[in-house]
């Protein structure tokens, strides 16, 4: 076997082992998180998830480690000297195929490895460890350090391939390794998300499309000889955005491991919280924009680049975390205490009505208050209703007794009555109901 082939195979094996260990631990965190990006994409459809993977790869190609080498790489495997556009397209396609062949197995390994680690996901040390990994990757994109191969290995990898179809394919295989300082954080973040799905078909498809996204500009330059915009400060913006997103993921994994009650204490679905979150995020984005502008050649504010970057990181990450958490929190049930007001609202807004008869001395009522009503699924479905709470703690309250008689809720507590949008009783519960069952019942009332 030729030395170059040995080097290539050895490098790929080492990378596969590193990715295997990362994917294993990444899955341990991921299954405890139901708010990871890929889970949200999957909820919308597989095509959305795959499309996001392609965009992720395309963004990676705009980073300072990849973008400047596009024209040089295309020249190395001979696309610019091709005798026809067809030959240039074929050479470029083979190069992109090499990239796809590098990344696709990683998606398979990540998804398959993810199937064996669900049992450890309740361990807070594991969640904290994976959050630390994502935060470390984020700091590398912010410039604290670089994820790079040893210089000697990097130089040897750069000489792999050569002109022609074979050279184009081999060069595509090592492209991700040579660009490791910028590809690494994006790639590991994507693999961590894939591990949450534990879906081999999706994992392989997502990574194949990631490779296609990464190779798109290479193909465009090699096939059509297009002139790309000059490398510049905007690439620092790409790295900054990537760092913010990966740091958000670190905090998101911790957030999703917390009890729902804790999350509701830290964040609110109210409008005021959302406005504050957007202001904080906007401040981070403005400061980040000044940092990128200061990176432009001969910028009069060049001295502001580093302080603005440092000042932008915390508000950008905190703002993104607050905005996404606010967006994902279900709206809270707002309880009316007056039957006349509740019915008037329901009539005016053409909404069904949820009536809860409870009392301070009723144990099952407290279970509903503590376990069922605060549940996110119940809150989400209940947002369609006008919610009415009748406090029946005082047996001598004539007004309460009248309402109880009206709805035939005199025999005991709790009593929960659902009225449809026409005011007709649709369902009734006279005991504690678990959140899933309660939410399902709410969903049937229109």
């Amino acid at each position: 076997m030729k030395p170059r082939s040995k080097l290539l195979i050895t490098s790929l094996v080492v990378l596969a082992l590193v990715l295997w260990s990362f994917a294993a631990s990444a899955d341990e965190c991921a299954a405890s998180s139901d708010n990871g990006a890929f889970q949200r994409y999957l909820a919308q459809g597989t095509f959305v998830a795959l499309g996001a993977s392609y965009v992720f790869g395309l963004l990676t190609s705009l980073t300072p480690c990849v973008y400047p080498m596009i024209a040089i790489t295309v020249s190395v495997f001979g696309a610019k000297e091709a005798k026809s556009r067809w030959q240039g397209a074929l050479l470029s396609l083979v190069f992109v195929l090499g990239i796809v062949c590098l990344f696709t197995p990683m998606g398979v390994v990540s998804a398959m490895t993810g199937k064996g680690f669900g049992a450890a996901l309740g361990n807070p040390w594991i969640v904290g460890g994976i959050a630390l990994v994502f935060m470390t990757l984020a700091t590398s994109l912010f410039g604290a350090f670089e994820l790079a191969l040893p210089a000697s290995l990097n130089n040897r990898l750069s000489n792999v391939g050569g002109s022609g179809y074979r050279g184009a394919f081999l060069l595509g295989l090592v492209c991700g390794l040579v660009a490791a300082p910028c590809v690494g954080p994006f790639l590991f973040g994507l693999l961590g998300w894939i591990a949450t799905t534990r879906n081999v078909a999706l994992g392989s498809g997502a990574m194949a499309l990631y490779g296609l996204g990464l190779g798109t500009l290479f193909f465009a330059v090699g096939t059509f000889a297009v002139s790309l915009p000059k490398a510049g400060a905007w690439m620092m913006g790409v790295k900054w955005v990537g760092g913010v997103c990966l740091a958000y993921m670190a905090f998101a994994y911790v957030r999703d491991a917390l009890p729902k009650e804790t999350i509701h204490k830290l964040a609110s679905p109210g409008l005021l919280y959302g406005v504050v979150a957007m202001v904080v995020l906007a401040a981070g984005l403005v400061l980040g924009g000044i940092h990128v502008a200061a990176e432009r050649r001969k910028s009069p504010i060049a001295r502001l680049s580093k302080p603005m970057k440092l000042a932008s990181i915390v508000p950008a990450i905190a703002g993104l975390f607050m905005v996404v958490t606010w967006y994902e929190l279900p709206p809270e049930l707002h309880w009316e205490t007056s039957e006349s007001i509740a019915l008037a609202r329901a009539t005016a807004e053409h909404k069904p009505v949820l009536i809860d008869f409870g009392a301070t001395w009723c144990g099952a009522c407290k279970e509903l208050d503590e376990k069922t009503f605060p549940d996110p699924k119940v809150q989400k479905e209940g947002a369609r209703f006008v919610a009415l709470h009748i406090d029946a703690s005082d047996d001598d309250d004539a007004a309460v007794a009248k309402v109880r008689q009206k709805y035939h809720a005199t025999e005991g507590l709790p009593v929960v009555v659902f009225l449809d949008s026409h005011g007709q009783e649709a369902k009734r519960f006279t005991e504690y109901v678990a959140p899933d069952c309660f939410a399902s019942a709410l969903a049937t009332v229109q």
Side-chain angles (χ1 to χ4, degrees), residues 79-235:
K80 284 191 173 182
E81 292 76 30
K83 297 178 180 179
S84 66
R85 178 167 294 182
W86 169 252
Q87 185 183 27
L90 196 56
L91 280 167
S92 302
L93 188 62
V94 171
F95 171 81
V96 175
L97 180 63
I99 297 178
V100 172
C101 288
L102 171 71
F103 291 124
T104 302
M106 299 179 191
V108 175
V109 170
S110 182
M112 291 183 66
T113 308
K115 294 181 178 180
F117 290 87
L121 299 180
N123 190 325
W125 290 100
I126 292 176
V127 176
I130 298 306
L132 181 61
V133 169
F134 274 88
M135 187 57 71
T136 302
L137 295 173
T139 57
S140 74
L141 288 178
F142 287 133
F145 64 93
E146 286 192 352
L147 294 173
L149 298 172
S152 58
L153 180 58
N154 193 63
N155 291 334
R156 296 181 68 182
L157 286 173
S158 299
N159 295 322
V160 170
S163 61
Y165 297 110
R166 176 180 175 276
F169 181 78
L170 292 178
L171 200 57
L173 275 177
V174 302
C175 178
L177 301 177
V178 174
C182 289
V183 173
F186 287 92
L187 178 62
F188 289 156
L190 182 57
L191 287 172
W193 289 337
I194 289 174
T196 70
T197 70
R198 290 175 275 184
N199 184 322
V200 173
L202 178 70
S204 57
M207 289 307 296
L209 282 166
Y210 174 81
L212 288 175
L214 181 59
T216 295
L217 294 182
F218 289 93
F219 181 81
V221 172
T223 302
F224 304 105
V226 298
S227 297
L228 297 175
K230 291 183 179 180
W234 59 269
M235 293 189 300

Side-chain angles (χ1 to χ4, degrees), residues 342-380:
L343 294 183
R345 271 191 56 203
T347 300
E349 300 172 14
H350 305 287
K351 287 185 174 182
V353 182
L354 163 62
I355 308 176
D356 169 46
F357 293 91
T360 55
W361 44 260
C362 169
C365 301
K366 291 182 179 179
E367 280 193 285
L368 285 171
D369 291 338
E370 296 173 0
K371 299 178 181 178
T372 301
F373 294 142
D375 185 83
K377 296 184 289 296
V378 174
Q379 294 275 336
K380 183 177 180 180

Side-chain angles (χ1 to χ4, degrees), residues 293-304:
E295 285 289 327
R296 298 178 63 184
R297 184 177 300 179
K298 297 181 180 179
S299 171
I301 57 172
R303 66 186 184 282
L304 297 178

Side-chain angles (χ1 to χ4, degrees), residues 17-30:
L17 290 174
V18 172
L19 292 174
W20 180 88
S21 62
F22 176 84
S25 54
D27 173 71
E28 294 173 355
C29 166

